[in-house]
Amino acid sequence: MSKIFNGIHFYININNLNSVVRKDENSHENLSRTFHALDAFTYTLEKFAGEFDDINIEKFTTSRLHFYIPIQNNSETATAEMLEIIAFSQELSSYINKHSKYQSLVNFQIGSGADLGKHTEFTFTDKDSEISEMTTIG
């Protein structure tokens, strides 16, 4: 039997990642600049989110970081934390977009979404790599 949790699942998405990748590939015939900017963005955002005790970083899928905040008794705190991370991601993308190394190439446009309700934590293991990963279903 799976345990059911109440919480907020939210994501932060780079809405235009495909066009940024195409621009880099067409201009430089490789994607090293885009991958470096994407790595800087995801690493810094994950590090910031890790400062909150109750936020779980679920996964990164293509252009989207998924987070989960279980809600015990205080949904206002969880909502405030989620909004703080989303605001931080906007500032971070703005900084990366203006940084001299990327300014002629990268223009990450950030979007986000969230849902609130009951979720089940689901762990699955990749058969080839034997790496386990947690995600939420709900």
Side-chain angles (χ1 to χ4, degrees), residues 2-137:
S2 298
K3 188 171 180 186
I4 306 292
F5 300 92
N6 281 319
I8 298 173
H9 168 263
F10 71 102
Y11 66 86
I12 297 170
N13 190 51
I14 301 171
N15 294 337
N16 65 332
L17 184 61
N18 288 340
S19 63
V20 169
V21 166
R22 272 188 249 112
K23 181 179 177 185
D24 191 15
E25 188 175 41
N26 291 336
S27 300
H28 301 100
E29 297 183 4
N30 69 54
L31 300 175
S32 61
R33 292 162 191 81
T34 297
F35 285 140
H36 190 262
L38 184 61
D39 182 57
F41 178 79
T42 57
Y43 172 80
T44 305
L45 192 54
E46 287 175 344
K47 190 165 177 63
F48 180 75
E51 294 179 12
F52 298 87
D53 292 335
D54 54 348
I55 294 178
N56 297 312
I57 301 165
E58 285 188 38
K59 60 188 170 239
F60 177 70
T61 55
T62 313
S63 63
R64 186 174 286 184
L65 283 127
H66 297 261
F67 302 88
Y68 178 71
I69 305 174
I71 295 178
Q72 308 301 334
N73 298 321
N74 192 345
S75 62
E76 289 179 14
T77 299
T79 302
E81 289 175 352
M82 178 192 71
L83 293 174
E84 189 171 343
I85 290 174
I86 292 170
F88 179 80
S89 75
Q90 293 282 354
E91 289 297 316
L92 177 59
S93 67
S94 178
Y95 173 79
I96 288 173
N97 293 344
K98 292 175 184 169
H99 191 279
S100 61
K101 183 183 265 188
Y102 308 116
Q103 67 185 351
S104 65
L105 168 69
V106 176
N107 184 19
F108 288 162
Q109 296 171 0
I110 304 302
S112 60
D115 57 77
L116 167 68
K118 296 181 187 230
H119 295 80
T120 300
E121 288 186 359
F122 176 75
T123 302
F124 59 93
T125 303
D126 180 75
K127 291 179 183 175
D128 295 329
S129 66
E130 297 185 15
I131 294 174
S132 293
E133 182 177 338
M134 186 280 291
T135 191
T136 57
I137 301 172

